Amino acid sequence: MAINIQTQCPKKILIVGGGTAGWMTAMLLADAWAQSGCEIVLLESSDIGIIGVGEGSTPKMRRFFDKLGIPESQWMPACNGTYKCGIRFPNWATRKGYKSYYHPFFSISDNQTVRAFADNVALRRENFDVHAHPDTFFVSNYLAKQKLAPIAKPEAAYQAEYAYHFDAGLIGKFLKEQAVARGIKHLVDTVSEVQQHENGDISGVQTQQLGFIAADFFVDCTGFASVITSKTLGVPFLSYKDVLFNDSAVALPSPLDGDSLASQTISSALKFGWAWKIPLINRFGNGYVYSSDHADKEIAERELRQHIGLTDESVEARHLKMRVGRAASSWNKNSLAVGLSQGFIEPLEATALMIVQDTVENFITQFSGGDFTSKYRDEFNTKINLIFDSIKDYIFMHYKLNTRNDTSYWIENRENENLSDSVVQILDVWDHGGDLLEELKRQGPRLAYSPTSWFCILAGMGRFPRKPKKLKPKIPVNDPDEIRRFCESIARQFPDHRDSVSAMRDG
Ligand SMILES: Cc1cc2nc3c(=O)[nH]c(=O)nc-3n(C[C@H](O)[C@H](O)[C@H](O)COP(=O)(O)OP(=O)(O)OC[C@H]3O[C@@H](n4cnc5c(N)ncnc54)[C@H](O)[C@@H]3O)c2cc1C
């Protein structure tokens, strides 16, 4: 592999694949290394399309655009983008008072109420009748409920954490234009064969029209096909099927339902999985993620259409298969797998593009260190694998905590005993009155989600003892009405979501 020794970067990188993962990778690599003389080429096939779904994100996406110096006012209107304050989860639990909960993005404004939430949760876990539903305690829920944007009015002192929704096709197009303008070479052809040196390193790719293309380093962004990582290098794929049953999805757009514009994703549990509803400027994106062992395509599509009230049969549904799990390692020989070629956790918390970013950013840091021993590569792979596995644990918790009995799907999910050690310990501490915060701190480096997220899911899905007893008069308790009034007073300092994104488009 030819390396530019002065700046420790490969001399020529070939990215194969032009989906969102390919173009995000191209932008991040160019930002880090283009000035140092690294040549970056992206090759995509015009015969093999992109997956074309993936419209939700995490707050990490903000850092992506900030790092690249691309303002929201530029990219959001181009991608029909909207703000995302968090995710609401209706119908995962059946218990009275806990039929729906909201997973907030934690904000500085919440520092004043999170203690009250933790105190009330502690009392409720001791089986006192205390209000401990997370929806009451986090400002972002109030913003989402009132369809507000997460950026406070100019005169206000508050800040809220947030992410975005966007059109999956348009974001790829936008990033492509940006990348090409920043000097990335774009080639269109299909790879027919990947060739290797004697030591197993990749030497180049044979294409149908453009001949052989050589490079020093390769990034596999070929989606579920995983042309370099799985097909050529034979890197084992570790399935998550034993804990995440869903392997299929059906997606459908639907019209917006009024002038106001929601600022949250809604992820509703259905009979054999769950459905997303994502507001864009011009439409809703909807999809049903389900297990093909429990429902076939027709059943799933019918249930989704009923759920969203879309009787118009002329709107065609897209059916997709999902390969859920991860490659045993992402950096193999002189190639890096990024995006769906590397692995995929079903999209319940919209984490895929966050992992793309994590992978490429960590790779740049490791590679720039200039140590090319396998130990160095192993350290990187361990880190990325941990990100995958810890997100998988958090996603799994949604299924483990469900209390639905309407189908065998939900019962099997709840009764699934394939728990990781991390999940076993978290549930054990929570159920037996232990100090969960301490346990989460102990597991800290192994967890992708913050303690707030863990407390919200456990409390929000009502994992509390039954038949709570009356609180003893001497025990102080935080009054939920007071907290509500406080959060509402903060929410009043945020503008209407529709107005905010319209102003960006108009101005
Ligand atoms: C149902 C569903 C919902 C999702 N929701 C979310 C979400 O809310 N949030 C989120 O972050 N992510 C989500 N994702 C994941 C997200 O869609 C992907 O992570 C993202 O689009 C990146 O995909 P990709 O670029 O890896 O692959 P793709 O989009 O599949 O792109 C593959 C590229 O490789 C090229 N290619 C393939 N084979 C060859 C070849 N032989 N020669 C040349 N080129 C080739 C293709 O032309 C294409 O350009 C979702 C995924 C699914 C399935």
Side-chain angles (χ1 to χ4, degrees), residues 463-483:
R463 185 130 174 146
F464 290 121
R466 300 263 154 192
K467 299 202 174 91
K469 47 195 186 209
K470 234 177 149 221
L471 192 68
K472 291 181 192 139
K474 274 195 215 135
I475 301 179
V477 64
N478 300 290
D479 176 3
D481 288 333
E482 219 173 275
I483 306 278

Side-chain angles (χ1 to χ4, degrees), residues 92-163:
W92 289 71
T94 51
R95 191 167 177 180
K96 196 163 167 255
Y98 296 95
K99 289 186 181 159
S100 170
Y101 93 98
Y102 178 84
H103 184 186
F105 296 134
F106 187 81
S107 297
I108 300 172
S109 326
D110 296 319
N111 273 331
Q112 301 183 54
T113 50
V114 70
R115 190 67 253 168
F117 173 54
D119 290 346
N120 282 19
V121 165
L123 288 171
R124 185 63 192 81
R125 283 173 64 209
E126 285 176 43
N127 208 15
F128 289 114
D129 192 5
V130 168
H131 180 87
H133 196 297
D135 284 12
T136 305
F137 297 85
F138 296 92
V139 170
S140 93
N141 176 42
Y142 295 77
L143 302 182
K145 223 166 41 181
Q146 296 171 45
K147 301 185 180 178
L148 300 174
I151 298 172
K153 294 172 187 166
E155 66 279 11
Y158 289 103
Q159 284 174 18
E161 183 58 294
Y162 63 90

Side-chain angles (χ1 to χ4, degrees), residues 14-18 41-45 187-189 191 205 207 213:
L14 178 67
I15 300 165
V16 185
V41 180
L42 187 145
L43 169 71
E44 66 173 322
S45 166
L187 302 175
V188 179
D189 204 347
V191 171
V205 296
T207 61
I213 304 171

Side-chain angles (χ1 to χ4, degrees), residues 401-457:
L401 298 180
N402 95 80
T403 51
R404 291 175 66 124
N405 289 312
D406 55 331
T407 58
S408 61
Y409 170 87
W410 287 108
I411 296 165
E412 284 166 35
N413 266 297
R414 182 167 63 251
E415 292 178 351
N416 188 354
E417 289 303 327
N418 294 321
L419 314 187
S420 69
D421 290 347
S422 165
V423 169
V424 168
Q425 282 151 0
I426 288 171
L427 284 175
D428 188 54
V429 169
W430 176 268
D431 289 344
H432 297 102
D435 186 339
L436 185 64
L437 196 55
E438 269 312 304
E439 174 59 21
L440 294 171
K441 276 190 198 153
R442 191 184 68 74
Q443 291 195 28
R446 290 194 281 128
L447 297 177
Y449 280 87
S450 69
T452 305
S453 292
W454 283 102
F455 273 84
C456 280
I457 193 170

